[in-house]
């Protein structure tokens, strides 16, 4: 007798709704009918991909480069989880923080699944390990896997610190998740650390994914499982959708997490045809979206490809933005702009050339200034990102960075604190030089706010931390910038409404940072007293 259907067909009974109890998923299975009427059960495990509940407003999911609370409500898409979810038939993706879901709302779902894959990060790992234990309490039979840069770099330490976790992925985890969900014995799954009779055992490394076109589209998972209106990025039009067109980055920035842990320093890309096909589907799935964002580490690493993709996006009539290095030639900028580019997210990092050399940024300030002028001339908006506390930072270089930001005049900025993530060269340097003043997991405080992790001779952690607010105030509270922002608000009622909300969130955030600053000052004073006593 021929098989009726060899695939499991799953349909959702309820959509995720922020703030509401999650309904279980109804599963309709079509079994394969064999000879003599025997039925073969589907081989794929019922799998939940989960970005766990965390601090209120914590943007630490499977897409955030810097896991922390932002100055305003911000949530990146969980693309790193959506990719393997697209490879596992009948799986479900839950992104708890954007949906405002709590532990009590999510944990009971463990009863309905055989496998849960948790994305974790250095700041959230301790809480995620506790959540994994909670899932085991709800369903002792459930298999728990963890993925992400933190467990990939520290697999043994992670397994020892999270006894409820059955396996962790070491490196890219798309095919790992698919293999485990297909019930492949863990000993035969390449690229993991797993428990074998109480001991942590490693399997041989898995080759890096080369043919990126082989990976399925993530927008189908977004459509099925996510509420896109719950995702906000302050400098992107709302609602937005983000995804990747490639992995890896050719730059060697010492602080950057993904290229040094998961992505690598080769830019492995999807073909322009493949990208255009997914974007056409995304346009169909999400007619309400006002902007698409390509979250490749550096979308402009391959200029001819970027130009070809832009031309295809232009034919689709899409409004889009992407990450770029501050060295894109004017000719390319013109092509991108003519085909729908609205904004570039640019990591300037510092206004001091020596610091840029220290961190191997690969861009000089004069090049960055010319690039910024070209963008302004062409009407391309820039969201500029800066980092305080990088190696070589002094009170004087902080002021130079502030002045540089004011000179190049990006539309908006983000000011972060240097975060030495395990697996990065910055982390190694911080350990060797004695700069690291915190435990590995203490990159954020108890409220999810980023802390100043490093301390230099002549520049203390509290000074670095407090300089973030000074940077923001000196940049935004200038008459020219305030006039520009108010002009945009007056021209568009939606922008007016959004900016007012973000303004309230911003000042609330600055107020909460003051509590963190007091805690840091007290810790520094206590450490100084202890040192003096010794």
């Amino acid at each position: 007798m021929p098989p009726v259907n060899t695939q499991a067909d799953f349909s959702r009974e309820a959509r995720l709704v922020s703030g509401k109890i999650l309904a279980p998923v109804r599963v309709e299975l079509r079994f394969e009918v064999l000879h003599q009427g025997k039925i073969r059960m589907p081989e794929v495990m019922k799998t939940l991909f989960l970005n766990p509940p965390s601090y209120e407003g914590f943007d630490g999911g499977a897409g955030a480069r810097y896991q922390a609370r932002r100055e305003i409500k911000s949530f990146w898409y969980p693309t790193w989880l959506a990719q393997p979810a697209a490879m596992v038939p009948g799986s479900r993706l839950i992104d708890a923080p954007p949906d405002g879901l709590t532990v009590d709302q999510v944990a009971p779902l463990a009863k309905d699944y055989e496998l849960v894959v948790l994305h974790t990060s250095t700041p959230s790992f301790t809480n995620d390990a506790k959540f994994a234990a909670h899932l085991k309490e709800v369903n002792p039979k459930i298999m728990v896997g963890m993925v992400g840069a933190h467990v990939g770099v520290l697999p043994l330490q992670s397994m020892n610190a999270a006894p409820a976790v059955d396996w962790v992925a070491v490196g890219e985890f798309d095919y790992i998740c698919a293999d485990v969900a297909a019930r492949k014995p863990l000993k035969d799954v390449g690229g993991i650390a797993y428990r074998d009779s109480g001991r942590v055992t490693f399997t041989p490394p898995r080759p890096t994914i080369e043919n990126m076109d082989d990976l399925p589209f993530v927008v189908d998972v977004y459509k099925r499982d996510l509420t896109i209106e719950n995702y906000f990025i302050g400098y992107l039009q709302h609602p937005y959708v983000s995804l990747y067109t490639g992995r890896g980055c050719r730059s060697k920035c010492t602080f950057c997490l993904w290229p040094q842990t998961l992505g690598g320093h080769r830019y492995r890309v999807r073909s322009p045809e493949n990208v255009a096909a997914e974007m056409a589907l995304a346009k169909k799935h999400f007619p309400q979206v006002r902007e698409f964002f390509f979250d490749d580490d550096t979308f402009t690493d391959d200029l001819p490809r970027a130009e070809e993709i832009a031309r295809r996006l232009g034919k689709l009539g899409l409004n889009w933005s992407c990450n770029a290095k501050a060295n894109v030639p004017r000719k390319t900028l013109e092509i991108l702009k003519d085909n729908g580019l609205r904004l570039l997210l640019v990591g300037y990092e510092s206004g001091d050339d020596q610091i840029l050399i220290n961190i191997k940024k690969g861009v000089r300030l004069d090049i960055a200034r010319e690039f910024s002028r070209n963008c302004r001339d062409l009407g391309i908006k820039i969201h500029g990102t800066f980092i305080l506390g990088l190696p070589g930072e002094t009170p004087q270089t902080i002021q130079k960075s502030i002045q540089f930001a004011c000179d190049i005049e990006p539309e908006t900025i983000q000011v972060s604190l240097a975060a030495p993530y395990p697996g990065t060269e910055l982390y190694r340097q911080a350990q060797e030089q004695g700069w690291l003043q915190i435990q590995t997991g203490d990159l954020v405080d108890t409220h999810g706010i980023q802390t100043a992790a490093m301390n230099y001779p002549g520049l203390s952690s509290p000074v670095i931390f407090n300089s973030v607010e000074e940077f923001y105030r000196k940049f935004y509270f200038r008459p020219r910038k305030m006039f520009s922002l108010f002009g945009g608000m007056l021209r568009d009622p939606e922008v007016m409404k959004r900016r007012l909300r973000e303004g309230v969130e911003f000042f609330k955030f600055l107020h909460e940072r003051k509590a963190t600053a007091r805690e840091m000052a007290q810790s520094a004073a206590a450490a100084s007293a202890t040192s003096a006593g010794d």
Side-chain angles (χ1 to χ4, degrees):
M1 183 175 180
V4 177
N5 196 318
T6 59
Q7 297 294 322
D9 179 34
F10 296 80
S11 63
R12 299 194 63 186
E13 186 175 61
R15 298 287 299 169
L16 279 178
V17 180
S18 179
K20 295 184 179 180
I21 300 296
L22 292 173
V25 179
R26 185 180 71 248
V27 181
E28 297 175 356
L29 297 177
R30 297 176 185 172
F31 303 102
E32 182 180 350
V33 181
L34 307 175
H35 294 292
Q36 290 85 39
K38 294 181 180 180
I39 296 176
R40 177 182 296 162
M41 296 295 289
E43 296 181 357
V44 178
M45 300 174 77
K46 191 175 178 186
T47 304
L48 175 64
F49 291 90
L50 179 59
N51 185 26
S54 189
Y55 312 97
E56 181 182 357
F58 184 76
D59 185 20
R65 285 174 173 76
Y66 282 88
Q67 296 87 21
R69 282 183 58 196
R70 310 299 178 194
E71 295 81 355
I72 59 178
K73 180 189 290 187
S74 299
F75 290 110
W76 285 104
Y77 278 77
T79 314
W80 282 96
L81 276 183
Q83 193 73 77
M87 302 169 69
V88 178
S91 64
R92 185 182 186 184
L93 169 60
I94 293 178
D95 194 6
D99 286 328
L101 300 171
T102 66
V103 170
D104 291 338
Q105 289 172 306
V106 177
L109 293 176
K111 298 191 300 291
D112 303 316
Y113 290 91
E114 299 171 90
L115 169 65
V116 61
V117 179
L118 303 178
H119 186 276
T120 189
S121 65
T122 298
S124 68
F125 176 78
T126 300
N127 284 339
D128 296 339
K130 294 177 181 177
F131 182 72
H134 192 23
L135 295 177
K136 287 277 191 175
E137 292 173 0
V138 173
N139 180 3
K141 295 182 179 180
I142 198 168
M143 178 184 287
V144 178
M146 269 191 176
V147 298
H150 182 83
V151 295
V153 171
L154 302 172
L156 181 59
Q157 296 92 321
S158 299
M159 291 288 284
N160 289 337
V165 173
D166 297 292
W167 58 269
V168 300
V170 183
E172 286 181 304
F173 47 82
D174 312 83
Y175 288 103
I176 289 174
C177 294
D179 282 351
V180 175
R183 303 182 190 277
K184 194 172 186 178
L186 293 182
K187 65 181 179 61
D188 298 328
V189 177
I192 67 171
Y194 71 101
R195 299 190 194 282
D196 182 14
S197 302
R199 298 183 61 183
V200 176
T201 302
F202 289 81
T203 62
R206 181 179 290 267
T208 301
I209 299 172
E210 296 297 340
N211 190 344
M212 302 302 291
D213 282 359
D214 283 347
L215 296 174
F217 296 162
V218 297
V219 294
D220 289 321
V221 176
Y222 290 179
K223 176 69 173 176
R224 184 191 71 192
D225 290 338
L226 304 181
T227 302
I228 67 167
E229 288 76 13
N230 289 349
Y231 292 85
F232 293 84
I233 294 295
Y235 48 88
L236 298 180
Q237 295 176 348
H238 183 263
Y240 86 100
V241 163
S242 68
L243 49 81
Y244 296 100
T245 75
R247 292 181 186 170
C249 181
R250 295 171 181 170
S251 298
K252 303 295 193 296
C253 303
T254 62
F255 59 87
C256 198
L257 178 63
W258 297 130
Q260 298 183 77
T261 55
L262 296 178
H265 287 297
R266 284 188 300 113
Y267 189 29
R268 296 169 289 129
V269 300
R270 298 163 55 188
S271 67
E273 297 83 359
N274 182 269
V275 174
E278 182 163 23
M279 296 313 298
L281 183 61
K283 181 179 179 180
K284 179 181 177 181
H285 279 339
F286 309 113
Q288 73 273 40
V289 164
R290 298 183 62 196
E291 182 166 15
F292 292 93
F293 187 82
F294 298 120
D295 202 21
D296 306 34
D297 294 303
T298 309
F299 180 76
T300 54
D301 255 355
D302 186 335
L303 294 178
R305 173 180 176 271
E307 293 171 5
E308 175 60 24
I309 290 175
R311 293 186 181 99
R312 292 173 182 267
L313 297 177
K315 294 177 181 177
L316 291 171
L318 298 179
N319 186 47
W320 59 281
S321 299
C322 67
N323 291 315
K325 203 168 183 176
N327 62 355
V328 182
R330 185 181 180 102
K331 178 183 176 182
T332 297
L333 292 174
E334 291 172 350
I335 294 172
L336 304 188
K337 175 62 177 177
D338 290 344
N339 287 280
L341 175 70
R342 187 188 72 87
L343 175 144
L344 294 176
L345 190 161
V346 181
Y348 293 104
E349 322 310 356
S350 175
D352 183 80
D353 269 320
Q354 185 57 53
I355 288 180
L356 297 181
I357 293 171
N358 294 345
I359 63 174
K360 302 180 181 179
K361 184 64 185 177
V363 174
R364 300 194 312 265
L365 291 181
D366 60 330
I367 300 297
R369 288 181 187 275
E370 180 184 1
F371 160 84
S372 303
R373 283 194 299 270
N374 288 335
C375 287
R376 186 165 53 250
D377 292 345
L378 295 170
I380 299 172
K381 296 186 182 300
I382 293 178
H383 175 72
T385 63
F386 295 85
I387 301 175
L388 299 183
L390 292 167
E393 194 79 276
T394 66
Q396 292 73 33
T397 60
I398 290 174
Q399 296 306 313
K400 289 177 66 175
S401 293
I402 295 173
Q403 186 59 54
F404 175 71
C406 294
D407 290 344
I408 62 173
E409 198 68 59
E411 178 78 2
T412 52
I413 63 169
Q414 175 182 313
V415 186
S416 301
L417 294 162
Y421 284 95
T424 65
E425 184 176 345
L426 179 60
Y427 180 75
R428 178 187 60 76
Q429 289 177 316
Q431 285 191 314
E432 291 178 354
Q433 300 297 326
W435 299 334
L436 198 59
Q437 299 298 303
I438 61 171
Q439 297 298 315
T440 299
D442 296 339
L443 297 176
V444 299
D445 68 5
T446 55
H447 307 288
I449 295 175
Q450 202 181 22
T451 61
M454 296 191 292
N455 202 57
Y456 301 105
L459 187 65
S460 67
S461 296
V463 171
I464 298 172
F465 183 86
N466 290 329
S467 295
V468 170
E469 181 173 345
E470 179 188 4
F471 201 132
Y472 277 127
R473 291 186 180 277
K474 287 186 175 180
F475 180 82
Y476 280 116
F477 295 169
R478 295 172 293 140
R480 179 179 178 180
K481 176 54 68 175
M482 294 179 71
F483 180 80
S484 173
L485 293 175
F486 284 136
M489 293 167 65
L490 293 174
R491 288 190 295 270
D492 188 333
E494 285 299 316
V495 173
M496 169 81 77
K497 180 179 178 181
R498 180 176 179 181
R499 293 301 183 212
L500 290 175
R501 172 184 61 79
E502 291 173 345
V504 172
E505 293 172 353
F506 179 72
F507 283 107
K508 180 182 178 182
F509 180 83
L510 292 182
H511 178 73
E512 292 178 354
R513 286 187 92 254
K514 294 185 184 299
T516 302
R518 288 193 295 270
E519 294 173 2
M520 290 184 61
Q522 291 170 358
S523 298
S528 177
T530 301
S531 177
D534 294 340

